[in-house]
Amino acid sequence: MKDITTQKIVKGEKAKTFTKKIARQEFQRIIQYTDQDPAHKEKLEILDASLCRYKDIYPYKHNIVKISNEHKMVNASWMNVINEKSFIASQAPNDNTLDDFWQMCFEHNVTHILMLCKEFEDNKKKCSNYWSTTTKFRDFIVNDCSLLKQDDFIERKRIIVTYIKGKPNIQKTFEHLQFKEWPDHSTPNIHNYVLIFEKLFKFADDAREESNNKKKINNPILIHCSAGIGRTGVFLTLYAICNEIKKQINSQNSVDLIFNVFNFVRKLKEMRMFSVENINQYNFIYKFLEQYLIERNVPPQQNNGN
């Protein structure tokens, strides 16, 4: 699929205004050539049903996350956002994959986990509890789960986990941030979403800075909602584009401020199918970016969603 020009220039004289009609056309074009394309579906790794929370959501073969236990792989994808393999987008573990989840974190040097769902939503289980000291694992033990900070929307914990199958045992500490007010298949259920997302962005920034300080060790950030596609895809899109916006704002050579939602979401869907799940989430990306620029006092202000 050829790229189409949907860039928005928010400084200078050529600023574009995007409507919901244009956004819908963009999104339909994206899914036509990704989620609905038979050629893309042939590239999926069809995993055993016991490894999948949802029977129709699989990772691509080319970037599936592999592990060294009997299952060999998990329903998670390497996401080349910002840098190569900077994120892992994963489904929330189900009861059969709790050990696989921690195996992935241990083997791939994960230190920070961003959770964008609740354990239960609308009386449905969206995520098996992998952080509790009372959860039964086969090869792992959660030694401690300490609540560090919480408010109405965000809860931060520190989790200490031991891999007990190896000799000697290996213990690791994980920073865990959960955003609790984002319904499945939908958009955040809050008014001050830019402020909240900037806290999530800072969590990711701190994790990346910590990884950079370790030089040769890559510490990908593990991000999941329930399926690891809709809410996860929206966050990755906003995080990447807002990073680019900040770079351009800080660049003395930057005259215009440019970002391209269409092309980024298209590329994201080629890394994990169904990322940014529906048109409401796609519209929210534009709505968020508009408000983000307003709150950062970047002129001129444009209306994206009439």
Side-chain angles (χ1 to χ4, degrees), residues 131-174:
W131 57 89
S132 173
T133 56
T134 62
T135 301
K136 301 299 182 182
F137 301 92
R138 183 182 64 254
D139 299 331
F140 296 88
I141 293 175
V142 175
N143 305 96
D144 184 62
C145 180
S146 303
L147 180 63
L148 303 179
K149 193 174 183 180
Q150 69 175 337
D151 55 33
D152 291 338
F153 308 115
I154 292 176
E155 187 173 287
R156 183 161 185 163
K157 298 186 284 287
R158 180 168 293 127
I159 308 170
I160 300 175
V161 183
T162 300
Y163 177 58
I164 59 175
K165 191 175 181 180
K167 294 182 179 181
N169 295 345
I170 302 171
Q171 187 174 92
K172 292 191 176 184
T173 300
F174 299 87

Side-chain angles (χ1 to χ4, degrees), residues 13 32 109 151 166 207 224 227 229 237 239 242 265-267 306:
E13 298 178 356
Q32 179 184 356
N109 301 310
D151 55 33
H224 75 84
I229 55 172
T237 300
Y239 181 70
C242 287
V265 172
R266 175 184 63 82
K267 292 172 183 176
N306 290 328

Side-chain angles (χ1 to χ4, degrees), residues 238-284:
L238 292 176
Y239 181 70
I241 291 178
C242 287
N243 264 271
E244 180 59 30
I245 287 173
K246 285 186 281 189
K247 285 181 182 178
Q248 293 187 39
I249 289 174
N250 295 331
S251 173
Q252 295 180 352
N253 298 323
S254 178
V255 177
D256 295 321
L257 186 60
I258 302 171
F259 58 85
N260 192 313
V261 173
F262 176 94
N263 287 334
F264 187 85
V265 172
R266 175 184 63 82
K267 292 172 183 176
L268 196 73
K269 282 179 173 287
E270 291 174 346
M271 290 184 270
R272 187 162 177 86
M273 195 169 244
F274 301 123
S275 293
V276 184
E277 195 172 5
N278 54 53
I279 184 59
N280 289 334
Q281 292 180 344
Y282 192 74
N283 281 333
F284 174 75

Side-chain angles (χ1 to χ4, degrees), residues 5-20:
T5 302
T6 59
Q7 294 175 338
K8 179 184 177 186
I9 304 175
V10 297
K11 292 196 298 185
E13 298 178 356
K14 298 181 180 179
K16 282 188 176 183
T17 298
F18 286 87
T19 66
K20 287 185 178 180

Side-chain angles (χ1 to χ4, degrees), residues 37-55:
D37 183 4
H40 277 266
K41 292 181 180 180
E42 290 176 0
K43 300 175 184 177
L44 295 172
E45 184 70 56
I46 308 302
L47 299 173
D48 184 274
S50 67
L51 304 181
C52 300
R53 178 165 289 278
Y54 302 99
K55 63 181 181 179

Side-chain angles (χ1 to χ4, degrees), residues 7-221:
Q7 294 175 338
K8 179 184 177 186
I9 304 175
V10 297
K11 292 196 298 185
E13 298 178 356
K14 298 181 180 179
K16 282 188 176 183
T17 298
F18 286 87
T19 66
K20 287 185 178 180
K21 179 180 179 180
I22 294 175
R24 182 173 294 276
Q25 292 171 348
E26 290 179 14
F27 190 70
Q28 289 298 322
R29 185 172 173 84
I30 292 171
I31 62 174
Q32 179 184 356
Y33 288 96
T34 54
D35 299 341
Q36 297 175 352
D37 183 4
H40 277 266
K41 292 181 180 180
E42 290 176 0
K43 300 175 184 177
L44 295 172
E45 184 70 56
I46 308 302
L47 299 173
D48 184 274
S50 67
L51 304 181
C52 300
R53 178 165 289 278
Y54 302 99
K55 63 181 181 179
D56 58 342
I57 297 172
Y58 303 103
Y60 286 116
K61 295 177 182 178
H62 70 88
N63 66 331
I64 189 171
V65 178
K66 297 181 180 181
I67 55 176
S68 61
N69 65 10
E70 68 272 21
H71 293 144
K72 306 299 183 185
M73 55 190 68
V74 288
N75 196 329
S77 306
W78 288 105
M79 309 299 284
N80 297 334
V81 178
I82 308 295
N83 302 112
E84 185 179 2
K85 291 189 173 182
S86 53
F87 285 88
I88 294 174
S90 174
Q91 70 169 17
N94 55 31
D95 291 346
N96 293 331
T97 61
L98 285 164
D99 276 81
D100 293 345
F101 182 86
W102 282 122
Q103 184 86 23
M104 170 174 59
C105 292
F106 270 65
E107 285 194 17
H108 296 293
N109 301 310
V110 170
T111 59
H112 289 68
I113 301 170
L114 179 57
M115 178 178 179
L116 300 177
C117 64
K118 294 180 180 179
E119 187 178 354
F120 291 90
E121 298 175 13
D122 295 327
N123 295 319
K124 295 180 181 179
K125 193 171 186 178
K126 295 294 183 175
C127 177
S128 293
N129 189 322
Y130 58 85
W131 57 89
S132 173
T133 56
T134 62
T135 301
K136 301 299 182 182
F137 301 92
R138 183 182 64 254
D139 299 331
F140 296 88
I141 293 175
V142 175
N143 305 96
D144 184 62
C145 180
S146 303
L147 180 63
L148 303 179
K149 193 174 183 180
Q150 69 175 337
D151 55 33
D152 291 338
F153 308 115
I154 292 176
E155 187 173 287
R156 183 161 185 163
K157 298 186 284 287
R158 180 168 293 127
I159 308 170
I160 300 175
V161 183
T162 300
Y163 177 58
I164 59 175
K165 191 175 181 180
K167 294 182 179 181
N169 295 345
I170 302 171
Q171 187 174 92
K172 292 191 176 184
T173 300
F174 299 87
E175 297 293 319
H176 186 279
L177 195 73
Q178 180 186 11
F179 178 29
K180 300 178 290 185
E181 294 300 326
W182 193 344
D184 201 4
H185 313 296
S186 189
T187 58
N189 192 23
I190 52 176
H191 295 294
N192 56 337
Y193 48 80
V194 171
L195 176 63
I196 299 300
F197 267 75
E198 287 195 318
K199 293 181 180 179
L200 306 184
F201 293 164
K202 187 178 186 309
F203 180 78
D205 287 341
D206 290 346
R208 290 176 56 225
E209 183 178 357
E210 183 178 308
S211 179
N212 290 337
N213 291 338
K214 293 179 181 178
K215 296 181 180 179
K216 293 183 179 180
I217 300 177
N218 179 45
N219 299 107
I221 302 163

